[in-house]
Amino acid sequence: SDSYDVFVSYAREDKEWVRQIVDQLEGRGWSVFWDDRILGGERWDESIDENLKNSRCVVVVWSLHSVQSEWVAAEASYAKGQEKIVPVKIDAVDLPIGFTLRQTIDLINWNNDFLHPEYKKFIDSIISKVPPSRPVSVFGEYEYEQDQDKIWHHLDKWGLKEKFENLCLNDDKVKVLFIEYDIDDYFSRKLHEILYSYYKADAPSLGNIKGAIDSFLNLDDNESLNTRWLKFMKREFLLSGSVSIAGDFNNLGKQPYFVVQSIRRFHAENFMTYYGYWKELALEEPIFLFYYVGAEAFEDVPSGRNILYCRYDDHKFVSRDEFDLFFNHYEEYYIRDAELCRCNQMLFREAVEKLRYKRAVHPYF
């Protein structure tokens, strides 16, 4: 018979739990044997014995039921002797004698969560014994292993997120993020939405994004700046301006906002004038100003601890086709979109794996 990458030893009472693991391992490219693979008419004891010996890794699932199973104990003893055992525990049980000294992965509270640290340890343990023999397609022509050097891992801007966290902690209520704008770099185009979801996870009162990338602000005409700002505030925040913009705005309530605009014909002095309008609002909660500017503007933008720069020098260029598929579909398969942005550098790859697995299970996606 064919040899398998992974053999799963478990008690029949835990079959539904094991089915989740089998589906996920197969989604990652491993071939998996469990007794559900035994065909009608086969000698099940011979099939199990043969595949136990030929498999390169044995996952032993310890539970209330399996610790009482002589079959599981025998399979685990063989796998331990061959140094190919990966033990996991799904119930709070005492392990059989002979297995207490071996590190056992705790999946008791695991609920099909790809970001769970013990689940990552589980996957890493299997990889150490059986490196994936084949990559699984992510989107169309792209392969995950190729994308590690091409696309996906560059989307995790750990340094950027760290800077953004520092920006959130400072005392300035008006925070500015200058983003180098290029219509073909889709990561930059979506950057304000990504950081918005990241911030919203800790700030449920966060107001909706105001403005858009195609909401342009020309800075070459200082005389009309105030008029354009007033129009923007009345349109986006539904202010009447009957008393004053500052008064109407402060009556909206205490909540932070993300404001997005693209700047044409950047002018440093005029920008400081425009920036001053926001500072005059006497904010109690922060305002995040996302300004998309051309590369040449970075030579003139002001400096300050409340200003963050997002340049191509800091990230891999990601084309629209490459990123569009990922960004526009990942929310369908996440409990909350913030999971993508809040994970650290290593866990981001797990997030990509989660999406990839869902696509493998649902090929219509």
Side-chain angles (χ1 to χ4, degrees), residues 121-220:
K121 187 186 300 183
F122 169 64
I123 295 299
D124 288 343
S125 297
I126 297 178
I127 290 176
S128 69
K129 300 181 184 301
V130 192
S133 58
R134 58 182 175 85
V136 179
S137 177
V138 184
F139 291 113
E141 66 197 42
Y142 302 122
E143 303 284 50
Y144 176 64
E145 288 187 351
Q146 295 173 357
D147 289 338
Q148 288 183 358
D149 295 323
K150 182 181 179 184
I151 302 170
W152 305 114
H153 77 286
H154 291 294
L155 301 184
D156 177 51
K157 304 296 169 265
W158 180 245
L160 174 62
K161 289 187 295 183
E162 185 176 31
K163 293 176 183 177
F164 182 67
E165 286 179 339
N166 292 334
L167 187 71
C168 295
L169 292 175
N170 71 42
D171 294 332
D172 293 302
K173 297 299 183 183
V174 181
K175 307 169 191 297
V176 181
L177 294 92
F178 285 106
I179 302 171
E180 185 176 347
Y181 176 69
D182 188 309
I183 193 171
D184 294 321
D185 181 41
Y186 215 44
F187 175 78
S188 290
R189 285 175 54 83
K190 295 290 186 178
L191 188 55
H192 63 278
E193 296 183 41
I194 292 174
L195 294 179
Y196 175 85
S197 67
Y198 176 68
Y199 190 88
K200 188 174 178 62
D202 293 323
S205 66
L206 179 62
N208 294 332
I209 293 175
K210 302 297 183 180
I213 294 178
D214 57 1
S215 174
F216 292 101
L217 172 66
N218 294 324
L219 285 179
D220 58 345

Side-chain angles (χ1 to χ4, degrees), residues 167 174-179 219 263 266-276 279 289 291 293 296-311:
L167 187 71
V174 181
K175 307 169 191 297
V176 181
L177 294 92
F178 285 106
I179 302 171
L219 285 179
I263 294 181
F266 184 85
H267 187 284
E269 184 177 343
N270 290 350
F271 172 78
M272 294 306 296
T273 298
Y274 188 77
Y275 170 70
K279 296 282 287 184
L289 304 178
Y291 291 127
V293 299
E296 66 281 357
F298 279 84
E299 300 175 2
D300 300 319
V301 293
S303 60
R305 65 184 186 130
N306 62 319
I307 296 177
L308 179 63
Y309 305 96
C310 307
R311 302 201 62 175

